[in-house]
Amino acid sequence: MLRLSTATLATLSTAGCLTGQPSTQTVTMSDNLTFEPSTATVETGETVTWANESDIQHTVTAYENEIPDEAEYFASGGFESERAARNRVTEGLIPPGEKYEHTFDLPGTYGYFCVPHEGSGMVGTVRVR
Ligand SMILES: [Cu+2]
């Protein structure tokens, strides 16, 4: 299942390059407490997939004041606010080997972080063109 899913993503990604169709961008979460790439750039309407390739749990949690005013709040766990995501952190944890994805429908710059590792500098940015 995971294998099929990865192959599908790769196919979509390649197709996107060739035809200009919407594609996805993958950001990995690693054992050294980083998002790679730390700044991901996508086109409006594209999806970012965060893949936890580490042995520990992480979250993807938007900074409420670092996303465009009109944009929908996003966080693993499906929270509607940064406060809720912080208060109920265990519900937003992405286990090792799992993924979280979000589709960006508005251009702009989106700052996000990992709740457990924010203090270690585990933060990232998505730029939507
Ligand atoms: Cu983390």
Side-chain angles (χ1 to χ4, degrees):
M1 187 60 195
L2 183 61
R3 190 182 187 121
L4 179 64
S5 163
T6 303
T8 304
L9 285 175
T11 303
L12 286 172
S13 213
T14 304
C17 289
L18 294 175
T19 66
Q21 294 301 306
S23 61
T24 67
Q25 160 108 37
T26 299
V27 175
T28 61
M29 296 174 273
S30 67
D31 281 321
N32 58 358
L33 308 182
T34 57
F35 292 106
E36 292 285 336
S38 60
T39 298
T41 302
V42 298
E43 305 295 332
T44 301
E46 286 186 343
T47 299
V48 175
T49 300
W50 283 268
N52 186 357
E53 295 183 355
S54 74
D55 295 327
I56 55 177
Q57 298 178 312
H58 301 284
T59 74
V60 171
T61 307
Y63 282 115
E64 214 159 79
N65 62 359
E66 292 186 22
I67 65 175
D69 287 343
E70 320 270 290
E72 176 193 1
Y73 184 76
F74 69 95
S76 54
F79 301 106
E80 290 178 2
S81 71
E82 182 181 332
R83 172 182 295 208
R86 288 182 184 277
N87 287 345
R88 292 152 59 197
V89 56
T90 55
E91 297 170 43
L93 291 171
I94 302 163
E98 296 292 309
K99 292 175 179 170
Y100 167 74
E101 62 178 38
H102 180 72
T103 300
F104 292 86
D105 292 324
L106 281 177
T109 301
Y110 296 72
Y112 67 93
F113 66 105
C114 167
V115 177
H117 306 122
E118 182 185 22
S120 302
M122 190 167 180
V123 300
T125 304
V126 175
R127 288 215 172 90
V128 181
R129 295 192 286 213

